[in-house]
Amino acid sequence: MARTVWLLGSLLAIGIAYILYEPSFDPESLRGARVVITGCSSGIGEQMAYEYAKLGAKVVITARREKRLQEVVAKMSELGAQQALYVAGDMGKVEDCERTIQTAKDKLGGLDILVINHLASTIDNKFFQYLWDGDMEYAEKHIQANYVSYIRLASLALPTLHKNSGSIVVVGSGAGKFPVPLNAIYAGTKFGLRGFFSSLRQELRIQKSNVSVTYIVLGSIDTGLGKKAIKDRGLDTKQPMYPAAVAAQVIIRGGATRQRDVYYPWGQIWTLAKIWDIFPEVGDYFLEQSVIGSSKQYDRSPLLE
């Protein structure tokens, strides 16, 4: 009996140590690193651009709004980026994905870190605020922009990342770890990304490639989009939101130390994910109540009429 208790205690201690373990991070490891970041005109992407700049990296950023990209690149140069370039484009388009990765190869001489962060959130103004209604045109546009483009960018970058023992960092969401109502297509893309890149990580190891894959699981982040999501869903606007600048630092550190999964905020999002893993019915209940108890009333989906 005593031996069983000792064994269980040891396993528990090992599990806790594994959960809390955080690899040491050397900021100098990113000086001169060649980085591509998508979705950099605002929010977390913009903050990551500034953080990489402070660390002396060489960075290509991309988004659709060229004027904003010009402003971000100018600030990156002031903050210490060795090189700061931009590609104005829509990652939902094949040619813009190709142009982004080719720019890194041509202008930076290769690529060490690919951070895929963009989010096409304004398609038909149906984001974070609707019951699934069977709109397949919307679904196809959203999946192309927020799922297929991630796979395409990683595929385009993989040859040079393999040569340089580089890293892929995929910025995901809690909606890719547990289902969230009113987010069916968005959650579907995030679950899909986690599945694809988890499998890709295994395939790279099988082939003895030293490319790391880090999946980021984010909670409520204080960005324009995050605030809009809460407002559109009629939720409590006083619920805690976490700084985009800190999220950017956590993402960069996780990618640089080649971690498997990174949760931010850890206490909130890791706990929710584990509750749903162990007690999915309980997790579903609380997530559903957050919608039922909101100030916004939702009509029935036309699929149920």
Side-chain angles (χ1 to χ4, degrees):
M1 179 66 179
R3 185 172 183 178
T4 301
V5 172
W6 177 85
L7 179 60
L8 290 173
S10 298
L11 290 172
L12 179 61
I14 292 169
I16 292 172
Y18 175 79
I19 291 168
L20 297 178
Y21 171 71
E22 187 172 348
S24 60
F25 169 54
D26 178 13
E28 284 299 312
S29 67
L30 292 176
R31 185 169 300 280
R34 298 163 296 183
V35 185
V36 166
I37 318 170
T38 66
C40 291
S41 59
S42 62
I44 298 169
E46 179 182 359
Q47 296 302 317
M48 282 194 285
Y50 298 150
E51 293 299 325
Y52 275 116
K54 292 175 188 176
L55 293 166
K58 303 174 182 178
V59 188
V60 173
I61 64 172
T62 182
R64 287 168 292 184
R65 293 182 287 167
E66 184 168 15
K67 185 176 180 181
R68 278 296 296 134
L69 289 173
Q70 291 171 344
E71 295 168 352
V72 173
V73 161
K75 185 171 180 179
M76 289 169 65
S77 297
E78 294 174 1
L79 291 171
Q82 290 190 23
Q83 283 182 263
L85 308 167
Y86 74 84
V87 174
D90 180 350
M91 293 302 100
K93 297 179 178 178
V94 175
E95 60 271 23
D96 287 349
C97 289
E98 293 173 343
R99 190 158 52 90
T100 297
I101 300 304
Q102 193 60 47
T103 297
K105 293 178 180 178
D106 294 343
K107 302 295 185 181
L108 304 183
L111 183 59
D112 300 304
I113 303 170
L114 172 64
V115 184
I116 319 178
N117 168 73
H118 61 276
L119 179 63
S121 60
T122 56
I123 301 172
D124 297 334
N125 197 33
K126 286 175 60 175
F127 189 71
F128 282 133
Q129 57 177 328
Y130 77 105
L131 296 162
W132 173 238
D133 57 6
D135 185 347
M136 291 308 300
E137 182 180 359
Y138 166 76
E140 289 168 5
K141 289 179 181 178
H142 194 99
I143 291 167
Q144 179 66 36
N146 298 320
Y147 176 69
V148 175
S149 66
Y150 276 56
I151 297 173
R152 178 174 290 115
L153 283 162
S155 301
L156 290 167
L158 203 48
T160 186
L161 290 172
H162 173 64
K163 291 177 183 177
N164 300 319
S165 296
S167 301
I168 300 171
V169 180
V170 181
V171 180
S173 164
K177 292 289 284 186
F178 45 83
V180 180
L182 309 181
N183 280 34
I185 294 299
Y186 173 77
T189 62
K190 294 304 181 184
F191 267 86
L193 287 173
R194 187 163 64 90
F196 174 83
F197 282 99
S198 295
S199 295
L200 179 63
R201 181 191 296 115
Q202 293 174 326
E203 292 180 7
L204 291 169
R205 286 202 296 253
I206 289 169
Q207 298 172 88
K208 302 191 184 309
S209 173
N210 198 32
V211 176
S212 65
V213 178
T214 299
Y215 186 82
I216 310 296
V217 186
L218 294 179
S220 298
I221 308 300
D222 190 5
T223 63
L225 179 59
K227 291 175 180 175
K228 182 179 185 301
I230 289 175
K231 180 180 178 181
D232 287 350
R233 288 161 64 93
L235 302 179
D236 182 3
T237 56
K238 295 182 180 179
Q239 75 175 61
M241 301 189 77
Y242 297 84
V246 178
Q249 294 167 0
V250 170
I251 293 167
I252 290 171
R253 183 185 185 113
T257 53
R258 305 170 76 87
Q259 294 182 56
R260 178 189 181 94
D261 295 307
V262 174
Y263 294 82
Y264 178 77
W266 189 87
Q268 177 204 60
I269 206 70
W270 184 88
T271 303
L272 285 173
K274 296 311 169 187
I275 288 174
W276 194 82
D277 283 344
I278 301 169
F279 306 109
E281 293 292 340
V282 174
D284 283 353
Y285 173 79
F286 284 108
L287 289 166
E288 290 158 12
Q289 290 303 308
S290 72
V291 175
I292 294 170
S294 74
S295 61
K296 184 170 181 176
Q297 298 300 311
Y298 293 89
D299 296 327
R300 289 169 67 87
S301 165
L303 297 177
L304 304 182
E305 296 297 334

